[in-house]
Amino acid sequence: MSDTENSPSPESPLLTAARGRRPERLPVWFMRQAGRSLPEYRARREGNAMLQACQDPDLVTELTLQPVRRHGVDAAILFSDIVVPLVVAGIDVDIVAGIGPVLERPVRSLEDVRALPRLDPAELGFLDTAVRRLVNELDGLPLIGFSGAPFTLAAYLIEGGPSKDHALTKAFMYGRPDLWDELLSTLAEYASIFLRTQAAAGASVLQLFDSWAGALPATAYERYVLPYTRRVFASLDDLDVPRIHFGVGTGELLGLMAQAGAEVVGVDWRVPLSQALSRIGPGRSVQGNLDPAILLADWGVIEAAVREVVEQGRGAPGHIVNLGHGVLPQTDPEILTRVVELVHSLPGR
Ligand code: CP3
Protein backbone atom coordinates (compact mmCIF):
# COMPACT_ATOMS: atom_id res chain seq x y z
CA MET A 1 0.00 0.00 0.00
CA SER A 2 1.38 3.38 -0.96
CA ASP A 3 1.94 5.85 1.84
CA THR A 4 2.79 8.78 -0.39
CA GLU A 5 1.37 12.23 0.30
CA ASN A 6 -1.03 11.65 -2.59
CA SER A 7 -2.89 8.81 -0.90
CA PRO A 8 -6.60 9.60 -0.65
CA SER A 9 -7.51 11.31 2.58
CA PRO A 10 -9.36 9.00 4.98
CA GLU A 11 -12.22 11.51 4.65
CA SER A 12 -12.84 10.58 1.02
CA PRO A 13 -16.61 9.92 0.78
CA LEU A 14 -16.00 6.74 -1.25
CA LEU A 15 -13.61 5.24 1.30
CA THR A 16 -15.87 6.25 4.19
CA ALA A 17 -18.86 4.53 2.57
CA ALA A 18 -16.79 1.47 1.64
CA ARG A 19 -15.77 1.16 5.29
CA GLY A 20 -19.39 1.09 6.37
CA ARG A 21 -19.99 4.65 7.47
CA ARG A 22 -22.17 7.47 6.14
CA PRO A 23 -20.13 10.36 4.70
CA GLU A 24 -21.70 13.83 4.59
CA ARG A 25 -21.76 13.64 0.79
CA LEU A 26 -22.81 10.45 -1.03
CA PRO A 27 -20.09 9.05 -3.29
CA VAL A 28 -20.95 8.27 -6.90
CA TRP A 29 -19.05 6.80 -9.87
CA PHE A 30 -20.09 4.73 -12.90
CA MET A 31 -18.97 1.30 -14.02
CA ARG A 32 -17.55 1.74 -17.55
CA GLN A 33 -17.32 5.51 -17.00
CA ALA A 34 -14.23 5.49 -19.25
CA GLY A 35 -15.25 4.48 -22.71
CA ARG A 36 -17.44 4.91 -25.68
CA SER A 37 -20.01 7.27 -24.18
CA LEU A 38 -17.25 9.94 -24.31
CA PRO A 39 -16.26 11.65 -27.60
CA GLU A 40 -12.82 12.40 -26.14
CA TYR A 41 -12.39 8.65 -25.50
CA ARG A 42 -13.27 7.74 -29.07
CA ALA A 43 -10.84 10.37 -30.36
CA ARG A 44 -7.97 9.22 -28.14
CA ARG A 45 -8.52 5.50 -28.80
CA GLU A 46 -8.49 5.87 -32.59
CA GLY A 47 -5.72 3.75 -34.09
CA ASN A 48 -4.92 2.03 -30.76
CA ALA A 49 -6.01 -1.56 -30.27
CA MET A 50 -7.84 -2.04 -26.96
CA LEU A 51 -5.36 -4.46 -25.39
CA GLN A 52 -2.39 -2.37 -26.51
CA ALA A 53 -4.02 0.71 -24.99
CA CYS A 54 -4.44 -1.13 -21.66
CA GLN A 55 -0.67 -1.72 -21.48
CA ASP A 56 0.38 1.83 -22.40
CA PRO A 57 0.76 3.88 -19.17
CA ASP A 58 0.32 7.23 -21.00
CA LEU A 59 -2.94 6.17 -22.61
CA VAL A 60 -4.18 4.41 -19.46
CA THR A 61 -3.58 7.58 -17.48
CA GLU A 62 -5.35 9.81 -19.98
CA LEU A 63 -8.36 7.48 -20.50
CA THR A 64 -8.77 6.97 -16.74
CA LEU A 65 -8.77 10.71 -16.09
CA GLN A 66 -11.21 11.70 -18.86
CA PRO A 67 -14.44 10.85 -16.98
CA VAL A 68 -13.07 12.28 -13.73
CA ARG A 69 -12.44 15.66 -15.33
CA ARG A 70 -15.77 15.66 -17.10
CA HIS A 71 -18.19 14.33 -14.49
CA GLY A 72 -16.67 15.15 -11.09
CA VAL A 73 -17.17 11.55 -9.92
CA ASP A 74 -15.84 10.43 -6.51
CA ALA A 75 -13.44 7.83 -7.90
CA ALA A 76 -11.42 6.96 -10.95
CA ILE A 77 -11.38 3.36 -12.17
CA LEU A 78 -8.23 2.17 -13.86
CA PHE A 79 -8.60 1.93 -17.63
CA SER A 80 -7.94 -1.76 -18.28
CA ASP A 81 -9.95 -4.90 -18.95
CA ILE A 82 -10.65 -8.13 -17.10
CA VAL A 83 -8.67 -10.12 -19.70
CA VAL A 84 -5.44 -8.11 -19.33
CA PRO A 85 -3.96 -10.60 -16.78
CA LEU A 86 -4.58 -13.39 -19.32
CA VAL A 87 -2.79 -11.39 -22.01
CA VAL A 88 0.16 -10.66 -19.74
CA ALA A 89 0.40 -14.35 -18.82
CA GLY A 90 0.75 -15.09 -22.56
CA ILE A 91 -2.71 -16.43 -23.41
CA ASP A 92 -3.82 -15.64 -26.96
CA VAL A 93 -6.87 -13.44 -26.36
CA ASP A 94 -8.07 -10.41 -28.25
CA ILE A 95 -10.88 -7.90 -27.69
CA VAL A 96 -13.03 -7.58 -30.78
CA ALA A 97 -15.08 -4.37 -31.05
CA GLY A 98 -18.77 -4.96 -30.47
CA ILE A 99 -18.15 -8.55 -29.29
CA GLY A 100 -15.69 -8.57 -26.41
CA PRO A 101 -12.86 -10.96 -25.51
CA VAL A 102 -12.24 -13.78 -28.01
CA LEU A 103 -9.72 -16.65 -27.66
CA GLU A 104 -7.81 -18.24 -30.48
CA ARG A 105 -7.70 -21.61 -28.66
CA PRO A 106 -10.27 -22.11 -25.88
CA VAL A 107 -9.30 -24.10 -22.77
CA ARG A 108 -11.28 -27.35 -22.74
CA SER A 109 -9.04 -30.32 -21.90
CA LEU A 110 -6.69 -31.53 -19.21
CA GLU A 111 -3.74 -30.59 -21.43
CA ASP A 112 -5.16 -27.10 -21.97
CA VAL A 113 -5.53 -26.49 -18.23
CA ARG A 114 -2.07 -27.88 -17.45
CA ALA A 115 -0.53 -25.71 -20.19
CA LEU A 116 -1.83 -22.46 -18.68
CA PRO A 117 1.15 -20.22 -17.94
CA ARG A 118 1.79 -18.65 -14.55
CA LEU A 119 1.39 -14.90 -14.28
CA ASP A 120 4.78 -13.39 -13.56
CA PRO A 121 4.36 -10.22 -11.43
CA ALA A 122 7.58 -8.90 -13.02
CA GLU A 123 5.59 -8.52 -16.28
CA LEU A 124 3.28 -5.98 -14.65
CA GLY A 125 5.65 -3.00 -14.76
CA PHE A 126 3.26 -1.09 -17.04
CA LEU A 127 0.50 -1.51 -14.46
CA ASP A 128 2.68 -0.31 -11.60
CA THR A 129 3.75 2.73 -13.65
CA ALA A 130 0.20 3.62 -14.70
CA VAL A 131 -1.24 3.31 -11.20
CA ARG A 132 1.55 5.36 -9.61
CA ARG A 133 1.17 8.09 -12.22
CA LEU A 134 -2.60 8.16 -11.71
CA VAL A 135 -2.44 8.27 -7.93
CA ASN A 136 -0.13 11.25 -8.29
CA GLU A 137 -2.44 13.01 -10.80
CA LEU A 138 -5.61 12.27 -8.85
CA ASP A 139 -4.41 14.32 -5.92
CA GLY A 140 -6.34 12.49 -3.21
CA LEU A 141 -9.28 11.20 -5.26
CA PRO A 142 -9.43 7.38 -4.86
CA LEU A 143 -8.35 5.13 -7.70
CA ILE A 144 -10.24 1.85 -8.00
CA GLY A 145 -8.13 -1.07 -9.18
CA PHE A 146 -9.95 -4.14 -10.49
CA SER A 147 -9.74 -7.68 -11.79
CA GLY A 148 -12.02 -10.28 -13.29
CA ALA A 149 -13.04 -12.98 -10.82
CA PRO A 150 -11.95 -16.61 -11.37
CA PHE A 151 -15.37 -17.80 -12.62
CA THR A 152 -15.82 -15.00 -15.17
CA LEU A 153 -12.25 -15.44 -16.46
CA ALA A 154 -12.85 -19.20 -16.71
CA ALA A 155 -16.05 -18.56 -18.67
CA TYR A 156 -14.08 -16.58 -21.30
CA LEU A 157 -11.30 -19.18 -21.43
CA ILE A 158 -13.69 -22.11 -21.88
CA GLU A 159 -16.30 -20.53 -24.17
CA GLY A 160 -13.65 -18.75 -26.24
CA GLY A 161 -15.89 -15.69 -26.46
CA PRO A 162 -19.15 -14.27 -25.13
CA SER A 163 -21.93 -16.74 -24.39
CA LYS A 164 -25.62 -16.47 -23.49
CA ASP A 165 -25.98 -19.61 -21.37
CA HIS A 166 -22.35 -20.50 -20.53
CA ALA A 167 -23.23 -24.12 -21.23
CA LEU A 168 -19.66 -25.23 -22.03
CA THR A 169 -18.37 -23.61 -18.86
CA LYS A 170 -21.06 -25.24 -16.74
CA ALA A 171 -20.57 -28.64 -18.39
CA PHE A 172 -16.84 -28.43 -17.61
CA MET A 173 -17.54 -27.34 -14.02
CA TYR A 174 -20.10 -30.07 -13.26
CA GLY A 175 -18.34 -32.77 -15.30
CA ARG A 176 -14.68 -32.26 -14.42
CA PRO A 177 -14.55 -30.92 -10.83
CA ASP A 178 -10.87 -31.93 -10.50
CA LEU A 179 -9.84 -29.93 -13.56
CA TRP A 180 -12.16 -27.11 -12.57
CA ASP A 181 -10.28 -26.87 -9.28
CA GLU A 182 -6.96 -26.57 -11.09
CA LEU A 183 -8.31 -23.98 -13.51
CA LEU A 184 -9.97 -21.82 -10.87
CA SER A 185 -6.91 -22.05 -8.62
CA THR A 186 -4.73 -20.69 -11.44
CA LEU A 187 -7.21 -17.90 -12.18
CA ALA A 188 -7.55 -17.02 -8.49
CA GLU A 189 -3.78 -16.55 -8.48
CA TYR A 190 -3.94 -14.29 -11.56
CA ALA A 191 -6.64 -12.14 -9.95
CA SER A 192 -4.78 -11.98 -6.68
CA ILE A 193 -1.49 -10.90 -8.32
CA PHE A 194 -3.24 -8.36 -10.55
CA LEU A 195 -5.13 -6.78 -7.64
CA ARG A 196 -2.17 -6.79 -5.29
CA THR A 197 0.04 -5.03 -7.86
CA GLN A 198 -2.54 -2.23 -8.16
CA ALA A 199 -2.88 -1.82 -4.39
CA ALA A 200 0.90 -1.83 -3.91
CA ALA A 201 1.17 0.99 -6.44
CA GLY A 202 -1.45 3.05 -4.59
CA ALA A 203 -4.96 2.00 -5.72
CA SER A 204 -7.11 2.64 -2.64
CA VAL A 205 -10.13 0.43 -3.48
CA LEU A 206 -10.25 -2.90 -5.36
CA GLN A 207 -13.23 -4.25 -7.30
CA LEU A 208 -13.62 -7.88 -8.33
CA PHE A 209 -15.94 -8.31 -11.34
CA ASP A 210 -17.68 -11.69 -11.43
CA SER A 211 -19.84 -10.53 -14.30
CA TRP A 212 -21.16 -13.92 -15.40
CA ALA A 213 -21.65 -15.59 -11.99
CA GLY A 214 -25.39 -14.99 -12.41
CA ALA A 215 -25.40 -17.93 -14.84
CA LEU A 216 -25.22 -20.30 -11.85
CA PRO A 217 -27.77 -21.57 -9.34
CA ALA A 218 -26.85 -20.71 -5.74
CA THR A 219 -25.88 -24.28 -4.79
CA ALA A 220 -23.40 -24.52 -7.67
CA TYR A 221 -22.07 -21.04 -6.97
CA GLU A 222 -21.42 -21.99 -3.36
CA ARG A 223 -19.63 -25.19 -4.25
CA TYR A 224 -17.72 -24.30 -7.43
CA VAL A 225 -17.09 -20.56 -7.27
CA LEU A 226 -17.28 -19.09 -3.77
CA PRO A 227 -14.19 -20.93 -2.41
CA TYR A 228 -11.96 -19.45 -5.14
CA THR A 229 -13.41 -15.96 -4.83
CA ARG A 230 -12.86 -16.20 -1.07
CA ARG A 231 -9.26 -17.16 -1.74
CA VAL A 232 -8.75 -14.00 -3.83
CA PHE A 233 -10.18 -11.70 -1.16
CA ALA A 234 -8.35 -13.51 1.65
CA SER A 235 -5.04 -13.00 -0.17
CA LEU A 236 -5.64 -9.24 0.17
CA ASP A 237 -6.68 -9.25 3.82
CA ASP A 238 -3.33 -7.88 4.97
CA LEU A 239 -3.75 -4.74 2.84
CA ASP A 240 -5.79 -1.92 4.29
CA VAL A 241 -7.80 -1.59 1.08
CA PRO A 242 -11.60 -1.95 0.98
CA ARG A 243 -12.94 -4.35 -1.63
CA ILE A 244 -16.06 -4.35 -3.83
CA HIS A 245 -17.56 -7.58 -5.18
CA PHE A 246 -19.91 -7.25 -8.17
CA GLY A 247 -21.73 -9.59 -10.53
CA VAL A 248 -24.57 -9.38 -13.06
CA GLY A 249 -27.89 -11.19 -12.61
CA THR A 250 -26.76 -12.22 -9.13
CA GLY A 251 -29.99 -11.47 -7.23
CA GLU A 252 -30.17 -15.09 -6.04
CA LEU A 253 -26.49 -15.10 -5.04
CA LEU A 254 -26.26 -11.89 -3.01
CA GLY A 255 -26.32 -13.64 0.38
CA LEU A 256 -23.42 -15.89 -0.65
CA MET A 257 -21.49 -13.14 -2.38
CA ALA A 258 -21.71 -11.10 0.83
CA GLN A 259 -19.73 -13.87 2.56
CA ALA A 260 -16.83 -13.86 0.12
CA GLY A 261 -14.75 -11.35 2.06
CA ALA A 262 -15.42 -7.97 0.41
CA GLU A 263 -16.59 -5.00 2.45
CA VAL A 264 -18.95 -3.82 -0.32
CA VAL A 265 -21.43 -5.84 -2.39
CA GLY A 266 -22.25 -4.46 -5.84
CA VAL A 267 -25.90 -4.96 -6.78
CA ASP A 268 -27.04 -5.28 -10.37
CA TRP A 269 -30.08 -3.38 -11.66
CA ARG A 270 -32.53 -6.29 -11.51
CA VAL A 271 -33.09 -6.28 -7.73
CA PRO A 272 -34.58 -3.31 -5.84
CA LEU A 273 -31.81 -2.08 -3.54
CA SER A 274 -33.99 -2.43 -0.42
CA GLN A 275 -34.56 -6.14 -1.20
CA ALA A 276 -30.89 -6.59 -1.97
CA LEU A 277 -30.05 -5.22 1.48
CA SER A 278 -32.06 -7.88 3.26
CA ARG A 279 -30.47 -10.62 1.12
CA ILE A 280 -26.97 -9.27 1.79
CA GLY A 281 -27.53 -8.96 5.53
CA PRO A 282 -25.95 -6.57 8.03
CA GLY A 283 -22.37 -5.36 8.09
CA ARG A 284 -21.85 -4.84 4.37
CA SER A 285 -21.93 -1.64 2.37
CA VAL A 286 -23.59 -1.66 -1.04
CA GLN A 287 -22.88 -0.23 -4.47
CA GLY A 288 -25.43 0.40 -7.17
CA ASN A 289 -27.89 0.06 -8.75
CA LEU A 290 -29.62 2.32 -11.28
CA ASP A 291 -30.68 0.58 -14.48
CA PRO A 292 -28.15 1.91 -17.05
CA ALA A 293 -31.00 2.12 -19.59
CA ILE A 294 -32.91 4.61 -17.45
CA LEU A 295 -30.24 7.17 -18.35
CA LEU A 296 -31.70 7.13 -21.89
CA ALA A 297 -35.08 8.43 -20.59
CA ASP A 298 -36.20 12.01 -19.86
CA TRP A 299 -34.53 13.84 -16.99
CA GLY A 300 -37.66 13.73 -14.80
CA VAL A 301 -37.65 9.93 -14.97
CA ILE A 302 -33.92 9.78 -14.25
CA GLU A 303 -34.18 12.16 -11.31
CA ALA A 304 -36.96 10.12 -9.68
CA ALA A 305 -34.94 6.92 -10.14
CA VAL A 306 -31.81 8.44 -8.61
CA ARG A 307 -33.77 9.72 -5.60
CA GLU A 308 -35.37 6.28 -5.16
CA VAL A 309 -32.03 4.43 -5.23
CA VAL A 310 -30.54 6.89 -2.74
CA GLU A 311 -33.52 6.49 -0.40
CA GLN A 312 -33.38 2.70 -0.54
CA GLY A 313 -29.62 2.79 0.06
CA ARG A 314 -30.16 4.57 3.39
CA GLY A 315 -30.77 1.16 4.95
CA ALA A 316 -27.13 0.16 4.36
CA PRO A 317 -24.17 1.05 6.58
CA GLY A 318 -22.53 2.71 3.54
CA HIS A 319 -23.79 3.30 0.01
CA ILE A 320 -21.72 4.00 -3.10
CA VAL A 321 -24.14 5.22 -5.77
CA ASN A 322 -23.52 3.61 -9.17
CA LEU A 323 -25.32 1.94 -12.03
CA GLY A 324 -26.33 -1.72 -11.78
CA HIS A 325 -23.97 -2.50 -14.72
CA GLY A 326 -21.82 -0.50 -17.13
CA VAL A 327 -22.68 2.79 -18.88
CA LEU A 328 -24.33 2.07 -22.25
CA PRO A 329 -22.30 3.53 -25.16
CA GLN A 330 -25.28 5.60 -26.39
CA THR A 331 -25.63 7.44 -23.06
CA ASP A 332 -25.44 11.25 -23.27
CA PRO A 333 -22.39 12.12 -21.15
CA GLU A 334 -24.09 15.32 -19.96
CA ILE A 335 -26.70 13.16 -18.24
CA LEU A 336 -23.95 11.39 -16.29
CA THR A 337 -22.62 14.75 -15.10
CA ARG A 338 -26.13 15.79 -14.04
CA VAL A 339 -26.59 12.55 -12.10
CA VAL A 340 -23.35 13.26 -10.21
CA GLU A 341 -24.55 16.79 -9.39
CA LEU A 342 -27.93 15.46 -8.23
CA VAL A 343 -26.40 12.77 -5.99
CA HIS A 344 -24.05 15.34 -4.48
CA SER A 345 -26.97 17.66 -3.73
CA LEU A 346 -28.76 15.00 -1.64
CA PRO A 347 -27.89 14.52 2.05
CA GLY A 348 -25.42 11.69 2.66
CA ARG A 349 -26.86 10.75 6.04
O1 CP3 B 1 -14.49 2.61 -17.11
C1 CP3 B 1 -14.30 1.51 -16.63
O2 CP3 B 1 -15.19 0.85 -16.05
C2 CP3 B 1 -12.89 0.92 -16.67
C3 CP3 B 1 -12.57 0.12 -17.77
C4 CP3 B 1 -13.14 -1.27 -17.97
C5 CP3 B 1 -13.17 -1.86 -19.26
N1 CP3 B 1 -13.58 -3.15 -19.14
C6 CP3 B 1 -12.79 -1.17 -20.51
C7 CP3 B 1 -13.34 -1.67 -21.77
C8 CP3 B 1 -13.60 -2.24 -17.07
C9 CP3 B 1 -13.81 -2.12 -15.57
C10 CP3 B 1 -13.87 -3.42 -17.82
C11 CP3 B 1 -14.31 -4.68 -17.19
C12 CP3 B 1 -14.84 -5.75 -18.06
N2 CP3 B 1 -14.44 -6.17 -19.30
C13 CP3 B 1 -15.86 -6.63 -17.64
C14 CP3 B 1 -16.52 -6.57 -16.28
C15 CP3 B 1 -17.56 -5.51 -16.24
C16 CP3 B 1 -18.83 -5.88 -16.93
O3 CP3 B 1 -19.17 -5.17 -17.90
O4 CP3 B 1 -19.49 -6.83 -16.51
C17 CP3 B 1 -16.10 -7.55 -18.68
C18 CP3 B 1 -17.12 -8.65 -18.68
C19 CP3 B 1 -15.19 -7.25 -19.71
C20 CP3 B 1 -15.02 -7.96 -21.02
C21 CP3 B 1 -15.25 -7.01 -22.15
N3 CP3 B 1 -14.30 -6.12 -22.60
C22 CP3 B 1 -16.44 -6.77 -22.86
C23 CP3 B 1 -17.71 -7.54 -22.71
C24 CP3 B 1 -16.18 -5.71 -23.75
C25 CP3 B 1 -17.16 -5.01 -24.68
C26 CP3 B 1 -16.99 -5.36 -26.11
C27 CP3 B 1 -17.67 -4.31 -26.97
O5 CP3 B 1 -16.96 -3.73 -27.80
O6 CP3 B 1 -18.87 -4.10 -26.80
C28 CP3 B 1 -14.84 -5.32 -23.57
C29 CP3 B 1 -14.14 -4.23 -24.27
C30 CP3 B 1 -13.94 -3.00 -23.46
N4 CP3 B 1 -13.45 -2.97 -22.19
C31 CP3 B 1 -14.16 -1.67 -23.90
C32 CP3 B 1 -13.76 -0.82 -22.86
C33 CP3 B 1 -13.75 0.67 -22.84
C34 CP3 B 1 -14.68 -1.28 -25.27
C35 CP3 B 1 -13.59 -1.47 -26.27
C36 CP3 B 1 -13.30 -0.26 -27.09
O7 CP3 B 1 -13.57 0.88 -26.71
O8 CP3 B 1 -12.68 -0.48 -28.15
Side-chain angles (χ1 to χ4, degrees):
M1 177 71 196
S2 156
D3 56 359
T4 66
E5 64 208 55
N6 292 309
S7 297
S9 80
E11 309 311 321
S12 142
L14 187 98
L15 290 179
T16 303
R19 294 188 191 288
R21 295 189 301 273
R22 308 288 313 189
E24 244 162 74
R25 201 178 85 173
L26 278 167
V28 53
W29 69 281
F30 304 106
M31 290 187 278
R32 294 287 180 97
Q33 64 189 16
R36 284 169 300 179
S37 66
L38 301 183
E40 60 268 35
Y41 170 84
R42 295 193 294 267
R44 201 66 176 74
R45 264 292 315 285
E46 214 165 307
N48 297 291
M50 176 65 189
L51 289 172
Q52 247 63 57
C54 292
Q55 295 174 78
D56 174 340
D58 289 337
L59 258 183
V60 169
T61 305
E62 173 57 22
L63 297 174
T64 302
L65 292 175
Q66 283 179 346
V68 175
R69 291 191 199 111
R70 188 190 256 269
H71 302 308
V73 278
D74 292 283
I77 179 158
L78 184 81
F79 184 82
S80 185
D81 194 81
I82 58 164
V83 296
V84 170
L86 307 180
V87 175
V88 174
I91 297 168
D92 198 357
V93 51
D94 195 12
I95 291 183
V96 179
I99 296 179
V102 174
L103 258 83
E104 193 66 31
R105 293 186 333 116
V107 173
R108 292 181 187 162
S109 68
L110 173 77
E111 293 71 33
D112 296 340
V113 172
R114 296 266 158 89
L116 284 174
R118 300 237 90 96
L119 177 61
D120 180 358
E123 300 289 328
L124 294 173
F126 72 91
L127 186 64
D128 178 79
T129 303
V131 170
R132 282 181 198 278
R133 206 172 283 174
L134 275 165
V135 170
N136 199 40
E137 295 265 341
L138 284 164
D139 197 23
L141 195 78
L143 175 69
I144 302 172
F146 75 90
S147 173
F151 175 79
T152 292
L153 293 177
Y156 278 115
L157 287 181
I158 295 169
E159 304 290 339
S163 164
K164 275 204 166 62
D165 53 15
H166 294 99
L168 288 169
T169 308
K170 290 162 77 170
F172 189 98
M173 181 186 84
Y174 290 126
R176 304 294 306 270
D178 48 334
L179 269 191
W180 180 255
D181 174 67
E182 280 188 44
L183 176 60
L184 264 75
S185 297
T186 300
L187 295 174
E189 197 176 290
Y190 286 9
S192 177
I193 292 170
F194 203 66
L195 290 169
R196 205 170 179 87
T197 300
Q198 295 172 76
S204 50
V205 181
L206 297 171
Q207 175 154 332
L208 191 67
F209 284 95
D210 209 350
S211 301
W212 312 140
L216 297 178
T219 45
Y221 176 84
E222 186 170 20
R223 172 162 172 203
Y224 296 108
V225 177
L226 186 57
Y228 306 94
T229 305
R230 273 208 180 112
R231 204 181 289 172
V232 175
F233 285 126
S235 78
L236 308 164
D237 275 345
D238 61 313
L239 305 168
D240 188 24
V241 175
R243 295 154 292 187
I244 305 169
H245 185 194
F246 170 76
V248 183
T250 43
E252 298 298 329
L253 307 178
L254 287 171
L256 292 168
M257 288 176 71
Q259 295 166 34
E263 289 75 6
V264 184
V265 179
V267 180
D268 99 322
W269 49 268
R270 290 167 180 82
V271 188
L273 202 51
S274 49
Q275 273 186 40
L277 294 187
S278 56
R279 294 181 190 184
I280 289 166
R284 293 283 181 259
S285 294
V286 292
Q287 174 171 282
N289 75 340
L290 281 169
D291 184 348
I294 216 151
L295 301 185
L296 309 178
D298 293 336
W299 176 251
V301 176
I302 300 170
E303 176 170 0
V306 170
R307 288 178 180 276
E308 180 64 30
V309 160
V310 165
E311 276 319 305
Q312 294 196 19
R314 294 198 189 283
H319 180 199
I320 300 168
V321 180
N322 204 319
L323 307 179
H325 199 182
V327 174
L328 297 171
Q330 64 270 42
T331 308
D332 175 354
E334 285 179 26
I335 293 292
L336 294 172
T337 310
R338 271 182 93 176
V339 169
V340 173
E341 287 166 0
L342 171 59
V343 172
H344 285 166
S345 76
L346 302 172
R349 301 192 171 112

